[in-house]
Amino acid sequence: MALPRFFCPIPMSLGQTVDLPPAVANHAGRALRLREGTEIVLFNGMGGQFHAYLRFQQGVAQAELFHFEPRNHTLKGQITLVQALASGDKMDWIIEKATELGVHRLIPIQAERSVLNLEGTRLDKRQQRWQAVAQGASEQCGRNQLLRLESVQSLNQCLQSLSAEKVEQTSATRMASNDLHADTAQATTANTIQSYLCDPDSTTPLREHLLSLEKPQEIRLFIGPEGGWSEKESALMQKHAALSVCFGDRVLRTETAGIALASATAALLDWF
C-alpha cells in the first residue's frame, strides 16, 4: 500500500522534526485521520522526498524526518506544453494529466480564439487553482519536482521568452568549449530544442520527425484552443521555427491533443 504523500513547501533536512503547514496538517489529521506514528512521505518540490513519522505535540502536527530518497521520477528529457486556454474546467484536467505524464513546463496562452478569457482577480484565482491541481497531481503520482506552471500570457510574449532561452543556451554551449564556433553552437542548440505546432492539416507526422532527431533535450508542443490557432498565430509560430506536424488522421480536441502528443513524445524518445 502506498504511503500518504504530501507537498510541504518548507525547508527540510534529514533528522529534523518540522511543524506541518496548516493545510497539510488538516489533510493528514482530519481528512485522512492519520494517527500518531504513521509513516508519511513529504516533498517540497526542490528534489527528492523525505520519509517521516507523523507526530502530534500539544495539538500541533509534526513530521519526524528519518529517511531521504533523492529520486525525482522525472522524464529523461524536458517537454514544454504551450497550451492555449481551454474553456470550462478543461485546463484543470490538462494540468493534472500533464503533471502525471512528467511534462516539465506548461505555459497557458490567451489565444485569439480562446473561449476562456481571464484577467484581474479572476485570473489570479484561476492561477492559484491550477497550481493546487498540479500539487495534488504530484502528490498522487509520486513526482517530487512540481510542474513549472507559468502565468497566462500572449503567444507573442511566450515566443519571445522561448527565443531568449535559446539564445542563452547557445551562449552557454559556446562558453562550455573554447573550440566551439558560434555557428556550431547555434546548430547544437537548435538540434537539442525542437518546437512543434500541432496541425491536423500538416503532412509531416510527429513520429517521423521525432525519430529523426539526434538526442533532443527539450520538445516544445504548441496546442491551439477549441477554434484552433488563427492564421496570424500559425505564421508567427512558424517564424519562430515551430514545425507544423500532424498526429494521426483524426482531429483531436484541445484537451486531448497536448496530452496525446506529450505521451507519444515521451514514448518515442524513450524518456519514460
Side-chain angles (χ1 to χ4, degrees):
M1 181 177 178
L3 297 174
R5 276 174 48 87
F6 303 97
F7 173 63
C8 193
I10 61 173
M12 292 184 285
S13 60
L14 197 59
Q16 278 186 323
T17 295
V18 298
D19 292 345
L20 296 178
V24 177
N26 183 66
H27 188 197
R30 296 186 178 181
L32 298 181
R33 299 182 181 277
L34 300 181
R35 298 181 179 182
E36 170 87 16
T38 299
E39 184 177 345
I40 60 176
V41 175
L42 302 177
F43 66 103
N44 59 10
M46 302 302 292
Q49 63 183 22
F50 290 88
H51 286 250
Y53 293 120
L54 183 63
R55 304 298 185 195
F56 294 99
Q57 185 68 28
Q58 297 181 344
V60 177
Q62 299 179 322
E64 180 185 333
L65 310 176
F66 70 88
H67 177 62
F68 177 74
E69 289 183 293
R71 297 181 301 170
N72 290 318
H73 304 287
T74 55
L75 299 180
K76 298 174 186 176
Q78 295 184 352
I79 297 177
T80 292
L81 184 59
V82 182
Q83 174 69 53
L85 291 179
S87 61
D89 294 332
K90 293 175 183 177
M91 287 298 295
D92 291 15
W93 191 89
I94 293 169
I95 290 168
E96 180 183 79
K97 301 312 172 189
T99 300
E100 293 177 14
L101 287 171
V103 169
H104 171 70
R105 170 173 56 174
L106 190 145
I107 307 176
I109 300 297
Q110 186 72 65
E112 291 183 18
R113 296 174 181 169
S114 288
V115 176
L116 180 65
N117 287 284
L118 298 172
E119 59 183 8
T121 303
R122 187 167 174 238
L123 172 58
D124 293 338
K125 289 182 178 179
R126 192 63 66 93
Q127 198 85 37
Q128 292 173 7
R129 175 177 167 180
W130 292 339
Q131 190 63 55
V133 168
Q135 291 173 6
S138 293
E139 290 178 342
Q140 182 275 326
C141 73
R143 176 175 177 163
N144 290 324
Q145 288 183 330
L146 297 179
L147 170 73
R148 180 178 162 187
L149 180 60
E150 299 198 2
S151 58
V152 175
Q153 55 198 270
S154 69
L155 179 61
N156 186 57
Q157 288 174 318
C158 171
L159 291 170
Q160 292 293 337
S161 177
L162 293 178
S163 293
E165 283 185 12
K166 267 195 175 184
V167 172
E168 291 178 1
Q169 291 191 34
T170 299
S171 299
T173 302
R174 186 186 304 132
M175 293 176 62
S177 174
N178 295 328
D179 298 329
L180 196 61
H181 297 296
D183 55 345
T184 304
Q186 185 173 1
T188 300
T189 304
N191 289 334
T192 59
I193 301 176
Q194 178 62 55
S195 298
Y196 291 115
L197 164 60
C198 183
D199 180 4
D201 294 326
S202 172
T203 57
T204 302
L206 173 69
R207 180 182 186 279
E208 178 181 298
H209 198 271
L210 274 177
L211 295 179
S212 71
L213 300 177
E214 185 177 349
K215 297 181 180 179
Q217 296 177 359
E218 180 184 359
I219 299 297
R220 297 168 176 174
L221 303 172
F222 290 76
I223 308 299
E226 283 89 347
W229 299 109
S230 68
E231 292 183 6
K232 178 181 176 182
E233 289 171 327
S234 295
L236 184 60
M237 285 181 281
Q238 291 175 14
K239 180 180 178 181
H240 283 263
L243 178 67
S244 179
V245 296
C246 61
F247 187 70
D249 297 329
R250 294 154 301 284
V251 177
L252 303 179
R253 294 179 182 272
T254 184
E255 68 269 26
T256 305
I259 303 306
L261 268 67
S263 301
T265 296
L268 289 168
L269 295 178
D270 193 26
W271 280 358
F272 279 120

